[in-house]
Amino acid sequence: FRPNFSHTLILTDSVEARNRVSAKLQTAMDTEFPGVRGRALKTPLGPPVAYPIIFRVSGPDIAKLKSIGDEVAVVLRKNTKTVEVNTDWGDRTPALQVEVDQDRARALGVTSLAVARSLGGAVSGATIGQFRERDRLIDVVLRGPAAERIAVSQVEDLQIPTAGGRTVPLSQVATVKQVMDEPIIRRYSRVPTLSVRSDIVEGVQAPDVSAAIDPQLNSIRAKLPPGYRIEAGGAYEENLKAQSSIGAGVPLMIFVWLMLLMLQLQSFSLASMVLLTAPFGIVGVAIGLLTFRMPFGFVAMLGVIALMGIIMRNTIILIDQIKQDMATGTHAWIAAREAAVRRFRPIVLTAAAAVLAMIPLTRSVLWGPMAVAIMAGLIVATALTILAVPAIYATWYRVKRPNAA
């Protein structure tokens, strides 16, 4: 429970309505609530992150962390694509610090545990029972009045039990003073960590902004004392994790591809040639995503991997037709040329079926980039496969025209 934090979920009936509502809410919070940090956020489609741009500053000393964090925040504010740069620790707040004099405490029979329990019960409260309200159990907490919990003189008069069954005032065994302390100290991998965070303007990708800012922090990193470090987090870190998870399976994927191609073609040379045609759709993917203004994210990458399989399948169909024609005595040049003509209809029809099947997904916020990547990439790759594979085959095996043989 945080009395200074509120979270409201708003559901709209369309993406356009969501964009209109979020823009109006952000404008209202910026103009009508100047003392409030308000954010109108759209539900993320990927792994949830607190802020799209996060840089973690880790180290042992709290004051040094805040000093380094201020330098990192200055760099983030200079970037025109960041909005509302802040840290996750906040400002220092008044607090009561209790220092127990161990010698006097032992002489009076008072332990540090007894001091901690008495202070906890008076300040934070102690649960003495539960109250049932229908299907809910509500804790009954006993603690001192608010005036007694914050006044130094009242806390000093708090009675602490001794080992002999008596009580003594807290002032006899400890010193109570008011200090300014950090309200929240967050840790990452058990190390105190301050996060410098920001939102981004519309129309840009968080990983791209973080990638542009990260090299600018090298001058700060060069001056860091031992034990301190600055790491990029947020969407940039999650994107790297997603790409690493895909990259970890790439060697196995290529091995399976080669094994299946060898079983189908029974030739390492032909299998290598088929693998070379896999990137045919990259040009189409780039054109499609740029045209529809969609990001090349995780789902689009999955679409490219699926597209590569479809392209290699079409290449195998052409090569298999070439091998069949050559087995009947047809010259290799003519077989390569006629294979494109004979397999034109089935290749185009299957590609058209795949493209049409992706149309409903283009309106999806999550799967739209994948659908566009497959559609645009497959259209370009199909044309390149039909036109280029016979030429690649003839060049690969140095096939000459029949009249020039």
Side-chain angles (χ1 to χ4, degrees):
F1 175 71
R2 294 167 57 186
N4 65 333
F5 178 81
S6 174
H7 181 203
T8 303
L9 180 64
I10 300 176
L11 301 179
T12 59
D13 56 0
S14 66
V15 175
E16 292 76 12
R18 180 201 65 180
N19 295 336
R20 291 196 302 269
V21 170
S22 62
K24 290 181 179 179
L25 282 175
Q26 190 64 59
T27 302
M29 286 186 290
D30 293 341
T31 56
E32 300 179 17
F33 302 94
V36 176
R37 181 184 298 154
R39 306 170 64 207
L41 299 178
K42 301 171 185 176
T43 303
L45 300 177
V49 292
Y51 277 78
I53 307 297
I54 297 178
F55 285 93
R56 295 189 297 267
V57 183
S58 301
D61 185 70
I62 303 302
K64 186 64 176 177
L65 282 182
K66 299 197 77 171
S67 175
I68 299 172
D70 291 340
E71 295 183 41
V72 175
V74 170
V75 176
L76 264 66
R77 291 189 180 98
K78 289 181 179 179
N79 192 293
T80 57
K81 298 176 182 177
T82 59
V83 179
E84 194 66 34
V85 179
N86 61 88
T87 63
D88 62 345
W89 281 15
D91 298 328
R92 302 175 72 185
T93 57
L96 293 180
Q97 185 181 67
V98 179
E99 296 181 358
V100 179
D101 188 331
Q102 297 296 337
D103 294 333
R104 297 175 62 184
R106 281 193 297 268
L108 294 174
V110 176
T111 63
S112 298
L113 179 60
V115 174
R117 285 180 175 176
S118 299
L119 281 172
V123 177
S124 301
T127 302
I128 60 175
Q130 287 184 323
F131 173 75
R132 180 183 293 275
E133 184 179 357
R134 296 183 180 179
D135 59 343
R136 298 174 58 195
L137 289 176
I138 303 174
D139 292 336
V140 178
V141 179
L142 175 65
R143 65 176 179 176
E148 297 180 5
R149 298 198 304 267
I150 60 176
V152 175
S153 59
Q154 295 289 342
V155 175
E156 288 178 337
D157 293 336
L158 181 67
Q159 297 298 310
I160 309 297
T162 66
R166 298 181 298 108
T167 60
V168 297
L170 178 63
S171 58
Q172 291 191 12
V173 295
T175 302
V176 181
K177 57 184 178 180
Q178 196 168 26
V179 296
M180 298 297 291
D181 199 4
E182 301 293 339
I184 300 176
I185 297 179
R186 303 184 185 275
R187 297 178 184 271
Y188 186 83
S189 297
R190 298 188 296 180
V191 178
T193 301
L194 181 144
S195 296
V196 183
R197 318 169 298 181
S198 79
D199 288 315
I200 54 177
V201 299
E202 290 288 340
V204 298
Q205 295 296 313
D208 296 336
V209 179
S210 295
I213 294 175
D214 191 58
Q216 301 175 12
L217 300 176
N218 290 335
S219 58
I220 301 177
R221 291 189 177 102
K223 300 182 296 183
L224 292 179
Y228 293 83
R229 64 181 184 273
I230 301 175
E231 300 173 329
Y236 179 79
E237 183 180 42
E238 296 299 330
N239 185 59
L240 289 180
K241 290 180 181 178
Q243 292 184 1
S244 299
S245 64
I246 294 179
V250 168
L252 178 61
M253 178 183 69
I254 295 177
F255 173 77
V256 173
W257 280 355
L258 283 172
M259 182 179 65
L260 295 176
L261 290 174
M262 288 295 296
L263 291 175
Q264 177 71 26
L265 301 174
Q266 299 181 357
S267 170
F268 183 78
S269 177
L270 286 175
S272 301
M273 188 178 73
V274 171
L275 280 177
L276 290 178
T277 63
F280 274 2
I282 297 298
V283 175
V285 171
I287 294 175
L289 294 178
L290 289 174
T291 301
F292 288 91
R293 300 183 63 82
M294 292 184 173
F296 184 77
F298 182 75
V299 292
M301 188 180 299
L302 295 180
V304 171
I305 294 175
L307 177 65
M308 293 170 69
I310 299 174
I311 295 170
M312 289 191 291
R313 181 206 63 185
N314 292 338
T315 304
I316 292 173
I317 292 175
L318 286 177
I319 292 177
D320 183 67
Q321 184 64 48
I322 293 173
K323 291 174 64 177
Q324 290 182 21
D325 291 347
M326 290 177 60
T328 60
T330 305
H331 191 276
W333 180 276
I334 299 176
R337 183 187 63 194
E338 295 300 321
V341 177
R342 294 186 180 184
R343 293 296 183 178
F344 176 82
R345 180 178 296 177
I347 289 176
V348 171
L349 289 179
T350 54
V355 170
L356 294 175
M358 291 291 112
I359 291 179
L361 289 179
T362 57
R363 298 180 60 84
S364 171
V365 178
L366 176 61
W367 301 109
M370 183 192 73
V372 170
I374 292 178
M375 291 172 60
L378 189 55
I379 292 173
V380 175
T382 300
L384 289 177
T385 300
I386 294 174
L387 296 174
V389 168
I392 293 174
Y393 183 89
T395 304
W396 192 273
Y397 290 100
R398 299 178 181 177
V399 178
K400 304 295 184 181
R401 289 179 179 271
N403 56 4

